[in-house]
Amino acid sequence: MSNSDPNNRNRQASSPPEPKPVPPSSWAKKTGFKPKFSGETNAGDSGPITTPPPKPREPEPNLDLEAGRVRTPATTNGVAPGDKAPAPVPPPPAMAKKRRDFEGVPKSSVPSTNGQAPAAEQPRRTARHEEVVDGLPVDNDGFVSRHSHMKYDLRDSPGLVPIGVYGMQHYVSILGSLVLIPLVIVPAMGGTHEETSMVVSTVLFVSGVTTLLHIAFGSRLPLIQGPSFVYLAPALAIINSPEFQGLNGNKFKHIMRELQGAIIIGSAFQGLLGYTGLMSLLARLINPVIVSPTIAAVGLSFYSYGFPLVGTCIEIGAVQILVVIVFSLYLRKISVLGHRIFLIYAVPLGLAITWAFAFLLTETGAYSYKGCDINIPASNMVSEHCRKHFSRMRHCRVDTSQALKSSPWFRFPYPLQWGTPVFHWKMALVMCVVSLISTVDSVGSYHASSLLVASRPPTLGVLSRGIGLEGLSSVLAGLWGTGTGSTTLTENVHTIAVTKMGSRRAVQLGACFLIVLSLVGKVGGFIASIPEVMVAGLLCFMWAMLTALGLSNLRYSEAGSSRNIIIVGLSLFFSLSIPAYFQQYGISPNSNLSVPSYFQPYTVASHGPFHSKYGGLNYVLNTLFSLHMVIAFLVAVILDNTVPGSKQERGVYVWSEAEVARREPAVAKDYELPWTVGRIFRWVKWVGL
């Protein structure tokens, strides 16, 4: 049909004929991509995809990421089936009105190549509420489109009040991951309630400081740094080492110094891995099929600790689990003032309600037994009646802790507060391997969070810089004595998706608030007063969430592929079965009665199957092969890198190219170092843009 409009004539002349298939793009040629997935898309066949006429679309509400990112159908040349490819006509001068921090780079809400945005000449598929003006997606205000599912993106700064509110919300929603680990490891080391309070305050302080450092000089993504569950199992293995079983006086400080030394050495190895650029080489071996079972194994590894401890006071522990489940699942869609408070604050709200319920039971005398005193040890009780009910009094009552009363109002955490760290090569070697697992966890978190809030995924240099700073942060955690390393918390991605807050200013302000809280000793004392059974109930939920978040990384690969299914299945099964063999080897039913049953799996160093003449080597091998995440990582990394499979099938992480990132102002502003630091270190190509 003829048309007198010169613009339309140009579009018709530049676009290919309708019946001719669109040729595959460069990345499709390299990866062997075919538009037919293993049950994941509705592509009808593996032949060429033609561009049918455009269909009218109805507007849809903002994308809800609560259920995860939505996968788009397979694309060819950046165009999905059912969409007509926009003509590659340069935008007129009228389109100069763009978003302040966008700088002309379209943000793809769901990139077509696992995070790699299409080439500049291939505009992305537009969202349904957008319209295309001369080839560029534009929102209703005429600005180039942003992530439709996020309230605030990476560099947004909406004002002090919104930033403060969202920053506190971000930290409160992730509070369980920050403070629950000290409540497990300090009592295991023989520490008192007062020492637990001091460690909690130290964790809050170090988490705030390392988060500020990471956002300013690391990956620059809005990711909270804190004590990771990756470090919990090896810490418990070191705590239950045979050489510490006979300690009496100052057992806590002695073991803490041993942990500090191991964490410092392991973290220095991680920092070396990042700042030397070796991480850029290692990242080529790390893919979603490896990250998924490795992180899932971290959560599954604590099954022997969770419910066995909940069962010590089942009426309170079970209520704790049920309340959190009801809030996070059944009431998750209830909004108050635009916030899904039950979903975002499921853990703190569940803790408050269960604590009030336990306090009511304690005050009504449900756990008071005539003639029995909770302050008298069970071994000194004469009455058989009191010895019988001592466990229920100890685990169910909420007035047994004196941490809140004994904590000072002001306390400043300082380095080496527990004494000079002690270095043993066998424990340091275990922590070096654990820091490698922590690195795998962080790679998955960097990629997933960048798809939510940034223009493009980071470059390999930015990835190396973030891992290097995580190593430095863990060195600080070792010097201050938190008992674990400091790394990117896996729960960050879920929190960003639920709160729809991706501004790094909000996380930075929340980190400052966390530092201020750490200086108030009563805050640490209050957290240390949480009853042990409630801690176990919350951890059951947190570990289940961690397992699910790990498995969710499979959405970046072909989850229906038989290759991936077999690799993930073998990794998870052997991550449970092989450590069980090591943990049960040489154990008799009545051995090690001094260690609680839920800590038995971590005493493997004293009875594992390796019995050579080198005691230190036996310790390292028995400990490492008893860690579920280590086995999952080894099995997955070997199989995924040796079994043939296309990059599309494996879901290989695609990181931004350094040259492309330097040319695009939006990507440079997302990841470049602030102030003049970036200019000073511009020559260090392997840790920057």
Side-chain angles (χ1 to χ4, degrees):
M1 186 175 77
S2 61
N3 195 333
S4 59
D5 189 352
N7 289 335
N8 288 341
R9 285 201 304 269
N10 290 338
R11 285 194 180 94
Q12 292 172 0
S14 60
S15 57
E18 194 111 359
K20 186 176 180 180
V22 180
S25 59
S26 60
W27 65 262
K29 293 179 182 177
K30 294 179 181 178
T31 61
F33 167 76
K34 294 181 180 180
K36 183 176 181 179
F37 287 75
S38 303
E40 291 187 29
T41 62
N42 10 358
D45 54 78
S46 58
I49 299 178
T50 58
T51 54
K55 299 178 181 179
R57 297 177 177 176
E58 298 179 359
E60 72 172 12
N62 283 345
L63 181 62
D64 186 2
L65 284 190
E66 175 196 330
R69 296 180 61 80
V70 178
R71 292 182 65 98
T72 58
T75 62
T76 301
N77 243 8
V79 182
D83 290 339
K84 185 175 181 179
V89 178
M95 283 303 300
K97 181 182 180 183
K98 299 174 182 175
R99 210 169 142 256
R100 172 182 54 82
D101 57 354
F102 190 83
E103 303 293 344
V105 181
K107 289 183 179 180
S108 177
S109 171
V110 184
S112 63
T113 58
N114 196 16
Q116 180 67 49
E121 67 272 12
Q122 298 168 356
R124 68 170 176 85
R125 180 183 179 184
T126 57
R128 296 189 179 184
H129 63 281
E130 300 170 343
E131 56 185 39
V132 175
V133 178
D134 291 318
L136 288 177
V138 182
D139 61 16
N140 296 332
D141 298 327
F143 292 87
V144 175
S145 161
R146 64 188 299 165
H147 290 105
S148 61
H149 53 271
M150 299 297 295
K151 292 180 179 177
Y152 299 106
D153 283 347
L154 184 62
R155 287 175 280 119
D156 286 345
S157 181
L160 185 61
V161 174
I163 282 180
V165 171
Y166 281 108
M168 292 179 62
Q169 168 184 279
H170 204 85
Y171 279 87
V172 171
S173 64
I174 211 169
L175 188 63
S177 301
L178 288 174
V179 303
L180 292 182
I181 290 182
L183 304 185
V184 175
I185 63 173
V186 176
M189 287 189 282
T192 62
H193 292 294
E194 292 75 15
E195 289 167 331
T196 303
S197 170
M198 295 166 67
V199 174
V200 169
S201 297
T202 304
V203 165
L204 296 178
F205 179 81
V206 172
S207 178
V209 171
T210 55
T211 299
L212 291 175
L213 289 175
H214 187 82
I215 293 179
F217 306 110
S219 70
R220 307 224 65 203
L221 292 168
L223 300 174
I224 298 175
Q225 307 295 298
S228 172
F229 289 119
V230 172
Y231 286 91
L232 180 55
L236 291 175
I238 293 176
I239 291 169
N240 290 281
S241 298
E243 53 262 45
F244 302 145
Q245 295 303 319
L247 294 178
N248 293 320
N250 290 328
K251 179 180 178 181
F252 165 75
K253 290 187 177 180
H254 183 86
I255 299 178
M256 177 61 84
R257 291 197 297 269
E258 297 275 356
L259 275 176
Q260 287 181 261
I263 291 170
I264 290 174
I265 298 297
S267 304
F269 168 75
Q270 186 182 21
L272 190 68
L273 195 66
Y275 285 128
T276 58
L278 293 175
M279 189 60 218
S280 298
L281 302 177
L282 180 63
R284 304 178 191 277
L285 303 177
I286 301 175
N287 301 313
V289 180
I290 298 171
V291 174
S292 180
T294 302
I295 304 308
V298 175
L300 292 175
S301 62
F302 299 105
Y303 67 91
S304 63
Y305 180 92
F307 206 82
L309 198 56
V310 170
T312 57
C313 187
I314 191 67
E315 63 269 26
I316 292 179
V319 168
Q320 176 70 86
I321 296 175
L322 290 175
V323 169
V324 176
I325 290 175
V326 169
F327 284 168
S328 59
L329 291 178
Y330 295 98
L331 304 181
R332 71 186 189 281
K333 293 187 177 181
I334 297 179
S335 297
V336 177
L337 299 178
H339 299 275
R340 295 182 176 180
I341 60 171
F342 293 108
L343 177 61
I344 298 173
Y345 305 118
V347 170
L349 283 177
L351 175 63
I353 292 176
T354 309
W355 207 343
F357 172 69
F359 178 79
L360 182 63
L361 291 179
T362 302
E363 290 300 311
T364 55
Y367 306 116
S368 298
Y369 300 95
K370 187 176 181 180
C372 302
D373 188 356
I374 188 61
N375 297 317
I376 300 177
S379 57
N380 296 339
M381 288 184 176
V382 179
S383 171
E384 181 67 24
H385 172 74
C386 293
R387 284 199 299 268
K388 177 182 177 182
H389 295 289
F390 177 78
S391 177
R392 289 184 61 78
M393 289 192 297
R394 178 175 175 268
H395 291 99
C396 297
R397 296 183 66 94
V398 297
D399 57 355
T400 58
S401 174
Q402 302 298 320
L404 184 60
K405 293 181 180 179
S406 60
S407 299
W409 277 102
F410 176 81
R411 181 182 179 276
F412 183 79
Y414 56 92
L416 305 181
Q417 56 189 331
W418 314 116
T420 305
V422 179
F423 300 94
H424 283 109
W425 72 268
K426 60 180 183 180
M427 298 177 184
L429 191 56
V430 170
M431 280 299 178
C432 285
V433 177
V434 172
S435 67
L436 184 61
I437 305 298
S438 170
T439 299
V440 174
D441 182 10
S442 298
V443 168
S445 298
Y446 289 178
H447 187 270
S449 60
S450 67
L451 297 184
L452 292 173
V453 301
S455 305
R456 287 191 181 186
T459 64
L460 286 175
V462 173
L463 175 68
S464 298
R465 189 178 71 201
I467 296 300
L469 192 63
E470 283 193 18
L472 177 62
S473 299
S474 290
V475 170
L476 296 179
L479 291 173
W480 259 260
T482 61
T484 64
S486 179
T487 184
T488 298
L489 298 179
T490 311
E491 297 83 349
N492 272 292
V493 179
H494 173 72
T495 302
I496 292 174
V498 170
T499 61
K500 301 182 181 180
M501 162 54 69
S503 171
R504 58 182 168 219
R505 294 288 179 87
V507 179
Q508 286 174 319
L509 189 60
C512 296
F513 177 72
L514 206 64
I515 294 174
V516 173
L517 279 183
S518 69
L519 304 179
V520 182
K522 293 295 183 183
V523 173
F526 175 77
I527 295 174
S529 302
I530 302 175
E532 190 177 33
V533 66
M534 284 190 246
V535 172
L538 292 176
L539 285 174
C540 286
F541 178 80
M542 300 299 299
W543 288 328
M545 280 289 300
L546 184 61
T547 302
L549 288 172
L551 293 175
S552 69
N553 282 277
L554 286 175
R555 70 187 184 271
Y556 300 116
S557 66
E558 289 191 24
S561 164
S562 61
R563 172 194 181 274
N564 296 344
I565 289 174
I566 294 174
I567 291 176
V568 173
L570 289 174
S571 303
L572 287 178
F573 176 79
F574 284 117
S575 73
L576 296 176
S577 187
I578 293 178
Y581 166 73
F582 276 79
Q583 293 164 3
Q584 297 169 11
Y585 186 90
I587 270 193
S588 60
N590 296 322
S591 63
N592 254 335
L593 292 178
S594 60
V595 179
S597 60
Y598 43 82
F599 284 148
Q600 284 283 352
Y602 307 105
T603 62
V604 66
S606 61
H607 59 77
F610 285 103
H611 290 290
S612 69
K613 61 180 180 179
Y614 303 103
L617 182 61
N618 297 336
Y619 179 93
V620 172
L621 293 178
N622 285 325
T623 301
L624 287 179
F625 281 95
S626 69
L627 298 178
H628 302 75
M629 57 189 176
V630 173
I631 302 299
F633 172 72
L634 290 177
V635 174
V637 76
I638 292 173
L639 293 179
D640 186 56
N641 288 282
T642 56
V643 178
S646 68
K647 290 185 178 180
Q648 186 73 18
E649 183 181 21
R650 297 170 63 194
V652 174
Y653 288 136
V654 180
W655 307 100
S656 298
E657 295 292 338
E659 294 181 1
V660 176
R662 283 191 290 268
R663 286 198 307 263
E664 297 183 0
V667 182
K669 287 186 177 181
D670 281 347
Y671 298 112
E672 67 181 358
L673 293 173
W675 309 307
T676 59
V677 178
R679 297 179 182 177
I680 296 174
F681 292 99
R682 190 179 297 274
W683 59 275
V684 190
K685 302 296 183 182
W686 57 87
V687 290
L689 298 178

